[in-house]
Amino acid sequence: MNDILLMEGGNLSANFWVALISSVKFIFAVPASYIFGNSFIHTILITSLGGISGIVFFHYLSRYVIFSDRIGFRMYFSVFRNISGFKATPSPASLTRRHFSRRNRLIVWFFRRYGLAGIIILTPVLLSIPLGTILTYRYSSGRAGSLVMLCVSVVVWSIVLSATGLFF
């Protein structure tokens, strides 16, 4: 049993891919880590570090996107427009009424039913890390405690999924 828990795992490129997968869609990272031959503890470390790095990246990205005056976006799109000659003009209908898609309704229903704690707990497994992090930042007004709780959730899910992966 100790050989399974402490066996040396994978090479550097395999670890990079597992960390990259876990920073975006966490639930697929544990099986990928075991496929690459990583041990139990190595899987926990790589998936936790990848998930936490994804949370930090998307936290600061959402901070810029949600609560900025979007100067950087306007500069980027003006340069893009000048280079490509592409002009995007919104339709009059999109300017007058707000469109609630099925996805938006589902997000609002989920948040009203389970709150911020539900989003934090289910982000690594059900939601993706980018979507969960952006929702958490949006609905918690950027509190630092929510970032720590997301990281704890990733570590706990990494342990649970890695332990489950040992038996299958």
Side-chain angles (χ1 to χ4, degrees):
M1 185 71 178
N2 285 339
D3 293 339
I4 294 173
L5 295 177
L6 300 174
M7 190 172 73
E8 184 61 34
N11 55 15
L12 187 60
S13 64
N15 293 335
F16 172 75
W17 284 112
V18 169
L20 189 65
I21 291 169
S22 66
S23 69
V24 179
K25 192 61 179 166
F26 190 79
I27 198 162
F28 298 131
V30 172
S33 179
Y34 282 134
I35 287 171
F36 283 126
N38 292 333
S39 67
F40 173 72
I41 294 175
H42 199 216
T43 299
I44 291 173
L45 288 174
I46 295 298
T47 56
S48 295
L49 288 175
I52 290 171
S53 65
I55 286 172
V56 170
F57 175 77
F58 289 110
H59 176 78
Y60 286 107
L61 180 71
S62 63
R63 181 174 153 186
Y64 179 73
V65 170
I66 293 172
F67 294 110
S68 72
D69 58 356
R70 295 178 180 86
I71 292 174
F73 287 121
R74 283 189 291 209
M75 286 174 34
Y76 171 75
F77 285 116
S78 68
V79 168
F80 176 72
R81 187 175 51 239
N82 290 338
I83 292 172
S84 67
F86 177 76
K87 289 187 177 182
T89 57
S91 66
S94 67
L95 294 175
T96 57
R97 64 185 169 118
R98 190 169 172 126
H99 178 69
F100 287 101
S101 65
R102 184 171 187 252
R103 180 178 165 205
N104 289 345
R105 286 189 193 122
L106 183 65
I107 289 171
V108 169
W109 172 84
F110 187 83
F111 186 75
R112 285 185 180 168
R113 178 142 183 162
Y114 299 108
L116 188 61
I119 290 176
I120 288 172
I121 290 170
L122 294 178
T123 288
V125 246
L126 222 58
L127 305 170
S128 63
I129 286 186
L131 178 65
T133 305
I134 290 170
L135 287 175
T136 302
Y137 190 81
R138 174 78 171 113
Y139 292 117
S140 69
S141 301
R143 287 180 280 177
S146 63
L147 184 66
V148 172
M149 288 187 292
L150 271 171
C151 293
V152 168
S153 175
V154 162
V155 171
V156 168
W157 276 110
S158 176
I159 293 169
V160 168
L161 292 175
S162 297
T164 306
L166 278 178
F167 299 112
F168 293 109

